[in-house]
Amino acid sequence: MFDLIFRGAEVHDGSGAAPGVADVGVQAGRIAFVGPARRALAAREIGADGLVMAPGFIDLHSHADLSLPAFPEARNSVQQGVTTEVVGNCGFSAAPVVATHAADLQSLVAGLGPHLDWSWSTFGQYLDVLDGRRPMVNVIPLVGHGALRLAAMGFDDRRPSADELEVMRRLLLQSLAEGAWGLSSGLDYAPGTFAGSGELVALGTALAEAQAGYFTHIRSGAATLDEALAEVLAVEAVGVRVHVSHLNSSAAVWHAVPRAIDILSAVRSRRPTVHADAYPYTAGATSLSQLLPSWTTRGGTPALLERLRSPDVRAQIKVAMHKGGEAPISGVSFDDVLLTVLILERNRHWEGHSLADAARGVGQDPYQLPV
Ligand SMILES: [Zn+2]
């Protein structure tokens, strides 16, 4: 006797085994039986003929750590069958927060989620807040390198001092002890883009000590793809499982992806410690700042906005954008840039329009849009 039984579903059990038609019985909220139809009774029966049943999907690339505290029902995920999310990717995470750089972290992640109350400081405190909101999905949290670097040295474009590196290392180990499963980095974004390989390897050593993994949004650009992978493999070499996120999301370097897969496969044939994923679609979502040369993001969002107010700097940026190679994403038509999340209320009516549309709407060249 079960509480609930699904009859005759095509069950894909997640083990990789061939699917088959089965009944699935649920008892006290747990799956208690999967197998051929039998004369089991249940308080409730659901006919599932012609339907597919599967365990919940794992979304292994999510930024929902920045939305779940406000929207714990996670409808966007649950309605797609996602029941587990790996959050805190690309160097962005909601914790740890230090008072001196709290505003930096909040501005860094402003486009990735709704307004949060930021009532936590440590990674553990953040997880307690999240637990308290009872999210509808399971969460595998990563701590972002961006959060660690901001805490140690803000948006400075330089190598860390020994003391600053020690702050990052200590916050990393503390976050791992408090529940983070690994470290993520976003090497196209400020402040991750200002980090060198030595810094990442040093943090990799801490990951190896804690037996935690490294998830990375690698540096963009076809010319640097080999170097970008070498940077990942340098971290792997200190004894860390590594995962390359969305390999490689920028359309300008799609042609180089087969070679990247060969490089990663060669390592995998010796050690199964290197993994990668790819988007199953041809669009990507990121910050508009990814169209700009990375030097424009030194000092964070306020400094970027200040630069964009200078006609001279705009002219310099326009030249760099036409030349290509200086920004993480280049060669994209403004007609293909869809504005999905705008921070300022007065700009929100452009959400859902292309950047080219917005420029036409205010009678401006896209390079001269007001900030
Ligand atoms: Zn990313």
Side-chain angles (χ1 to χ4, degrees), residues 185-241:
S185 67
L187 305 180
D188 280 335
Y189 301 106
T193 189
F194 308 137
S197 291
E199 175 180 331
L200 300 168
V201 169
L203 296 175
T205 313
L207 288 171
E209 273 169 41
Q211 296 193 311
Y214 176 57
F215 292 65
T216 179
H217 168 140
I218 61 176
R219 290 183 214 274
S220 290
T224 60
L225 188 58
D226 283 22
E227 287 164 38
L229 291 177
E231 194 168 43
V232 180
L233 296 177
V235 175
E236 191 267 349
V238 299
V240 184
R241 282 182 172 269

Side-chain angles (χ1 to χ4, degrees), residues 61 63 90 189 217 245-246 279:
H61 194 87
H63 295 290
C90 302
Y189 301 106
H217 168 140
S245 298
H246 45 57
Y279 292 154

Side-chain angles (χ1 to χ4, degrees), residues 239-323:
V240 184
R241 282 182 172 269
V242 298
H243 184 94
V244 180
S245 298
H246 45 57
L247 173 77
N248 190 319
S249 53
S250 177
V253 291
W254 283 350
H255 65 274
V257 169
R259 174 167 165 71
I261 290 173
D262 286 346
I263 293 171
L264 297 177
S265 301
V267 178
R268 267 184 78 82
S269 67
R270 300 189 300 275
R271 302 185 298 278
T273 45
V274 181
H275 305 254
D277 67 82
Y279 292 154
Y281 38 77
T282 54
T286 188
S287 152
L288 271 179
S289 65
Q290 294 293 286
L291 296 170
L292 305 175
S294 54
W295 56 263
T296 59
T297 59
R298 279 177 203 147
T301 306
L304 169 62
L305 293 176
E306 201 47 51
R307 289 187 183 100
L308 290 175
R309 285 186 194 106
S310 153
D312 289 348
V313 180
R314 280 201 186 225
Q316 242 178 298
I317 291 172
K318 186 173 173 180
V319 170
M321 285 173 73
H322 277 282
K323 199 167 66 177

